[in-house]
Amino acid sequence: QVQLVESGGGLVQPGGSLRLSCVVSGTIFSGYAMGWYRRAPGKQRVLVAAITSAGSTSYADSVRGRFTISRDNAKNMVYLQMNSLKPEDTAVYYCNSRPPLDDWGQGTQVTVSS
């Protein structure tokens, strides 16, 4: 069974930065494309960043130029560096494969507020 554990969220002021981490277990991580998703209050969960097994990245328009996704296959980790955060980035952030598996982790809350 795949397990996904996200961490690194918190409260940050507009313009600040956070680095999210996700550890993946129970699968051959290096073979999967991975993504970071978020669900803002009252909205559906959406994909914001993705990285292929080879390291190619893609981003939603709303975060391009501010967020950077990366992975460490040796550690079964995927990261999301978030800079220039805005209040509209407030959400619960999840990692999962792309396309996502049925099982999701708990997510990590990111709140951007002054």
Side-chain angles (χ1 to χ4, degrees):
Q1 182 178 358
V2 176
Q3 288 189 320
L4 304 152
V5 180
E6 303 91 348
S7 62
L11 173 63
V12 62
Q13 292 187 343
S17 298
L18 284 173
R19 188 189 192 216
L20 306 184
S21 299
C22 173
V23 59
V24 183
S25 60
T27 187
I28 304 173
F29 171 77
S30 61
Y32 283 81
M34 295 296 297
W36 280 97
Y37 303 75
R38 70 184 182 190
R39 175 151 53 196
K43 297 186 177 180
Q44 291 188 334
R45 185 157 41 201
V46 296
L47 178 70
V48 296
I51 186 166
T52 68
S53 57
S56 296
T57 59
S58 59
Y59 300 93
D61 289 344
S62 59
V63 307
R64 186 175 293 113
R66 300 187 297 122
F67 290 12
T68 303
I69 188 172
S70 60
R71 66 191 296 162
D72 185 335
N73 289 338
K75 296 181 179 179
N76 280 18
M77 298 285 293
V78 60
Y79 306 98
L80 186 68
Q81 177 67 43
M82 305 187 297
N83 299 328
S84 302
L85 282 161
K86 305 175 180 180
E88 51 263 44
D89 295 319
T90 294
V92 180
Y93 285 73
Y94 304 85
C95 72
N96 208 322
S97 60
R98 186 189 180 195
L101 302 172
D102 291 339
D103 294 325
W104 293 84
Q106 298 279 352
T108 186
Q109 175 71 48
V110 171
T111 302
V112 185
S113 175
S114 55

